[in-house]
Amino acid sequence: MNNEEIKKLNLAFGENLRKIRDSKKISLLQMSYNCSIDESKISKIEHGKFNIKLSTLFELARGLNVNPEKLLNFPFEQDE
């Protein structure tokens, strides 16, 4: 996977994270409290500016009270 694909993947993941958070009407501050991740880091993730670790994925899912699989359920096409 090249750098451009990673950027696109981070953006798509972040958009999905924000969509789920918004649908649950959870603020960045509340999300930060729920999953013990700084709200500025969550904002960076939502804007595709941060490449997360697997442990962070599980923390975010816990903060939203969703299965981690839901955070990964978004359209993404790799370049060929």
Side-chain angles (χ1 to χ4, degrees):
M1 190 172 256
N2 65 39
N3 285 341
E4 192 59 36
E5 288 175 317
I6 292 170
K7 286 179 186 178
K8 288 179 184 178
L9 180 61
N10 287 338
L11 276 171
F13 176 83
E15 288 173 9
N16 190 49
L17 174 64
R18 184 173 43 248
K19 182 179 91 177
I20 294 168
R21 183 177 61 78
D22 286 346
S23 74
K24 291 180 161 277
K25 297 183 181 6
I26 298 174
S27 69
L28 279 173
L29 182 61
Q30 183 63 45
M31 177 81 173
S32 175
Y33 178 78
N34 291 352
C35 63
S36 301
I37 298 174
D38 187 72
E39 65 184 292
S40 66
K41 184 175 179 180
I42 296 170
S43 178
K44 287 178 185 175
I45 294 168
E46 288 185 349
H47 287 92
K49 297 179 181 178
F50 200 84
N51 195 9
I52 67 167
K53 298 186 290 185
L54 186 58
S55 59
T56 304
L57 172 73
F58 279 83
E59 285 296 314
L60 292 168
R62 184 173 62 85
L64 291 169
N65 196 30
V66 297
N67 188 307
E69 180 180 306
K70 185 167 184 165
L71 294 177
L72 296 172
N73 189 15
F74 58 90
F76 177 73
E77 293 184 28
Q78 282 184 270
D79 295 338
E80 292 185 33

